[in-house]
Amino acid sequence: LSASPPALLLLLSLLGLAAAGKLLVVPVDGSHWLSMREVLDVLSQKGHEVVVVAPEVSLYIKPSKNFVMKMYPVPFTQEEMDEDLHGLIKDVFEGGAFLERVFKLYQRAKKNSAVFLATCSHLLHNKELMRYLEESKFDAVFTDPILPCGQILAEHLSLPSVYFLQQMPCGLEYPATQCPNPPSYVPRTFTYLTDRMTFLQRVKNLLYDLPNFFLCDVVFQPYAELASEFLKREVTVPDLLRQASIWLLKLDFVLHYPKPLMPNMVLISGVNCAYKKLSQ
């Protein structure tokens, strides 16, 4: 308070500069990116420097005036990418018997995970891009953990990470945060159950949880191997996930059902797509 007006003005200007941060963004393509882009636009408007790392081949991740885009080559074409992702959407929403759907998703998961794993591998082994990221002095990593490439990068750069997602495959957010997830209380995907179940419905809920043990291995074990090789130490995907500072969950009890949460799991329902004015 006793400082001269010019000194006070300089101090306030420095505080203003300190308020803005430098954010490294590692997104996942598809609908996941559309809602993340909305958040990045607002962060940019608030003065934060946003750098998005993305492959040269993608569905929706395109350059924007609101952030810096750093792109890297990948070993597949746009046509191959389109076919894989559209096939996944078709398999997820297609009807049929439970075991038939599990088998289809298993086969699709193997194929799609190979494409995304190649994308992550080419990012981590791009020496020029990695040198740029190491020298850029970011404050944090903002990523969608449904595919854990951003987590591997955050570990390598020793940066805090913020996750932006709806939910993880196989409920991996629960063991990663040590959050309770009892099958007698929390409904599993595809069961169409609520949080109030009869005894037989709880048995059904438990049985539907069993395929997760091998489905998740197919998708995530290669990432654990890639992370172990890149970080030069043995790590698992839950090891990577539990490093998150905050989980921003695009959920709400109004649309889903009551379930346990941990203190760093924040519900932000409604941030799911671009805002558009509805017609009459």
Side-chain angles (χ1 to χ4, degrees):
L1 292 176
S2 61
S4 64
L8 184 59
L9 183 61
L10 175 62
L11 177 61
L12 290 175
S13 65
L14 291 176
L15 289 175
L17 290 174
K22 191 171 185 179
L23 192 66
L24 173 60
V25 181
V26 186
V28 172
D29 205 357
S31 60
H32 292 253
W33 163 250
L34 298 180
S35 52
M36 179 178 276
R37 187 181 61 194
E38 291 289 305
V39 177
L40 300 183
D41 289 343
V42 175
L43 289 174
S44 176
Q45 292 167 14
K46 290 182 178 292
H48 300 286
E49 184 179 350
V50 178
V51 177
V52 177
V53 175
E56 291 178 350
V57 176
S58 66
L59 285 178
Y60 301 119
I61 306 175
K62 307 300 179 187
S64 167
K65 63 179 181 179
N66 292 328
F67 49 77
V68 176
M69 176 76 83
K70 292 294 181 180
M71 308 188 83
Y72 57 93
V74 287
F76 51 83
T77 65
Q78 186 69 54
E79 291 72 22
E80 291 171 325
M81 164 68 82
D82 294 346
E83 180 185 352
D84 285 337
L85 287 180
H86 292 150
L88 174 63
I89 294 170
K90 180 175 179 291
D91 288 346
V92 166
F93 290 102
E94 197 172 49
F98 172 68
L99 291 179
E100 179 186 359
R101 294 170 72 184
V102 168
F103 179 76
K104 280 186 176 181
L105 285 174
Y106 176 79
Q107 295 298 325
R108 181 62 64 178
K110 287 177 62 177
K111 186 175 182 180
N112 281 31
S113 61
V115 172
F116 284 110
L117 183 68
T119 301
C120 184
S121 179
H122 278 68
L123 165 59
L124 299 177
H125 291 100
N126 189 312
K127 293 183 179 180
E128 182 180 350
L129 179 56
M130 291 303 297
R131 190 180 305 112
Y132 164 80
L133 298 178
E134 291 164 355
E135 295 173 353
S136 294
K137 306 300 182 184
F138 291 99
D139 295 303
V141 173
F142 187 53
T143 185
D144 185 332
I146 192 171
L147 296 174
C149 200
Q151 294 90 296
I152 300 174
L153 202 53
E155 281 289 288
H156 174 68
L157 299 174
S158 300
L159 292 173
S161 51
V162 177
Y163 295 168
F164 183 76
L165 71 157
Q166 185 167 3
Q167 58 189 30
M168 288 290 295
C170 311
L172 286 182
E173 67 267 37
Y174 295 100
T177 56
Q178 296 184 325
C179 183
N181 187 33
S184 60
Y185 181 66
V186 180
R188 282 359 185 202
T189 305
F190 298 138
T191 61
Y192 305 108
L193 298 172
T194 70
D195 57 304
R196 298 188 179 186
M197 294 176 269
T198 65
F199 174 75
L200 290 179
Q201 287 175 329
R202 293 178 186 183
V203 172
K204 172 186 176 182
N205 202 45
L206 178 63
L207 293 176
Y208 269 58
D209 209 24
L210 297 179
N212 288 340
F213 291 103
F214 64 87
L215 280 175
C216 277
D217 277 346
V218 169
V219 175
F220 291 112
Q221 184 55 34
Y223 282 95
E225 296 170 1
L226 176 62
S228 299
E229 176 263 325
F230 182 73
L231 298 173
K232 301 294 189 293
R233 58 185 172 84
E234 194 70 26
V235 293
T236 65
V237 170
D239 289 337
L240 294 169
L241 291 174
R242 66 174 55 101
Q243 301 304 318
S245 298
I246 300 175
W247 295 68
L248 300 177
L249 302 172
K250 297 180 288 181
L251 299 173
D252 200 307
F253 291 157
V254 174
L255 299 176
H256 291 259
Y257 37 77
K259 59 182 177 181
L261 293 173
M262 298 304 279
N264 64 336
M265 301 170 82
V266 183
L267 300 179
I268 54 169
S269 176
V271 188
N272 288 295
C273 55
Y275 299 104
K276 293 184 178 180
K277 186 176 180 180
L278 297 177
S279 67
Q280 289 298 323

